[in-house]
Amino acid sequence: MIRQESDLIKQLRAGDKSAFSYLYDHYSAALYGIIFRIVKREEWAEEVLQDAFLKIWDRIDAYDESKGRLFTWMMNLTRNLAIDKTRSKEITRAKKTDDLHEFVNTIDKQEQTEMAIEQIGLLPVLEALPPEQKLIVEQLYLNGYTQSEVADEFGIPLGTVKTRLRLAMITLRTILKVE
Amino acid sequence: MNVEAYIATGILEAYVLGELTVREREQVEQQLENNSALRDELTRIEKTVEQLAFEAAVKPKPDLKNKILTSANTKRISQTSKAVTLWQWLAAASVILACGFAYLAYNYYTRWNSTSRQLAELESRHQQIAQNLNTVNLELSKIQHEVEVIDNPAFARIVLAGTASAPNAQATVYWSSASQEVYLRIQNLKTLTAENQFQLWALIDGKPVDLGIFDTKNGLIKMKPTSHADAFAVTIEARGGSPVPSLQTLQVMGSTKG
């Protein structure tokens, strides 16, 4: 069953649960991919995905079609939740570092996560981009960095970050067959 | 506006990423309203980003869907109607409670005030009564003692009758020859000036013996003891008494021989 985005939004606003089910089926994996790359831990990623969908369900009235596509709205909402989760967990973990057991546990989980990331990691479409553009797309869209964070982190001027992103988007548009 | 140049700044990508300030966002949204070419470009960027996210998708565990759908169901219902009404109920209830407490507080304060006033009144009245009772008790024990004297058959009752100089005067002496105790009770004696006092005498074998001085007062007056007396008499003497009676001021007199 394929639904028009405008119909889907109407049904969601009416509290139609089948529309919500469709929304989940259609978008959960795309959003989960974004979350997972940011929080890097399955347990947290699941929490964030749940928070995100509940927030989408509760706040659908706040979404304004005239200002952008539904997915853009959902993506930003989700990414912000994921970033918040990472920050709160980092603070909690920093307080617990003297607990040896916890410390060992954390290392175990980090290793697992790194393996998982490698499995998810490579995106064939990005291989078409020059490395400097690929880096920026990965950091911005997949890892949840802001443009200024990427600029600071990798020592690239902010203007250059923007230009490279713009060029990458034009290339990707063709590869992804966006009309 | 040069659309190409505007797009080339990368501002639409930043817009899609949610990286603009509120003011910048509003400016972009204003431009979008008036320019369909800009809107089309935005949609292309959004679709590219969306497509990219689909390329990078990771499937969550299958059981997560059910969990999320279930909590969404309950949450939606509670959020729209119940949360608002619950809030209103809470607000209304707290206002009512506050009014209620204010009234009760005022009420109890007033009652407390009047109660403490009443308590103070009662306390002073109680003190007064206790004092009165004390006085009465003293009086009572005195009277009881008098009654014991009067009732006691060991005491002889001698009525002292008025004399020529004071025909209406009268007094009574209670005397026990065994214990030698002498009590005097005034029925009617004239009022004296501050310089004078009455003095009681016992006549023993024709001689007057001093039994003490006294002033006008109620009840039995304890006098000096004597084992013998043929008669009792009261005279008026200078304050402090006299070693010998002044016969011209003789007030009352009575014989013990009946």
Side-chain angles (χ1 to χ4, degrees), chain B residues 94-124:
Chain B
S94 60
V95 168
I96 291 166
L97 272 180
C99 292
F101 282 133
Y103 169 74
L104 283 180
Y106 175 74
N107 198 12
Y108 281 117
Y109 176 74
T110 322
R111 284 201 212 172
W112 173 73
N113 253 351
S114 80
T115 305
S116 63
R117 253 200 321 273
Q118 285 173 351
L119 182 65
E121 272 172 34
L122 286 176
E123 269 173 353
S124 74

Side-chain angles (χ1 to χ4, degrees), chain B residues 1-16:
Chain B
M1 185 190 73
N2 185 340
V3 177
E4 295 299 315
Y6 188 70
I7 291 170
T9 59
I11 194 160
L12 291 180
E13 279 83 0
Y15 177 78
V16 169

Side-chain angles (χ1 to χ4, degrees), chain B residues 83-184:
Chain B
V84 174
T85 47
L86 180 67
W87 189 240
Q88 286 170 336
W89 270 109
L90 280 176
S94 60
V95 168
I96 291 166
L97 272 180
C99 292
F101 282 133
Y103 169 74
L104 283 180
Y106 175 74
N107 198 12
Y108 281 117
Y109 176 74
T110 322
R111 284 201 212 172
W112 173 73
N113 253 351
S114 80
T115 305
S116 63
R117 253 200 321 273
Q118 285 173 351
L119 182 65
E121 272 172 34
L122 286 176
E123 269 173 353
S124 74
R125 213 182 295 173
H126 173 256
Q127 217 168 358
Q128 186 77 47
I129 289 168
Q131 269 173 8
N132 290 351
L133 181 66
N134 210 21
T135 316
V136 169
N137 274 341
L138 281 175
E139 197 73 20
L140 180 66
S141 60
K142 197 178 143 209
I143 289 169
Q144 273 173 341
H145 175 67
E146 291 179 3
V147 169
E148 274 167 29
V149 171
I150 292 165
D151 255 8
N152 194 334
F155 278 88
R157 179 172 176 272
I158 300 111
V159 175
L160 311 189
T163 57
S165 56
N168 294 324
Q170 201 192 328
T172 311
V173 165
Y174 296 90
W175 172 52
S176 163
S177 56
S179 68
Q180 304 185 16
E181 285 170 285
V182 179
Y183 291 95
L184 180 110

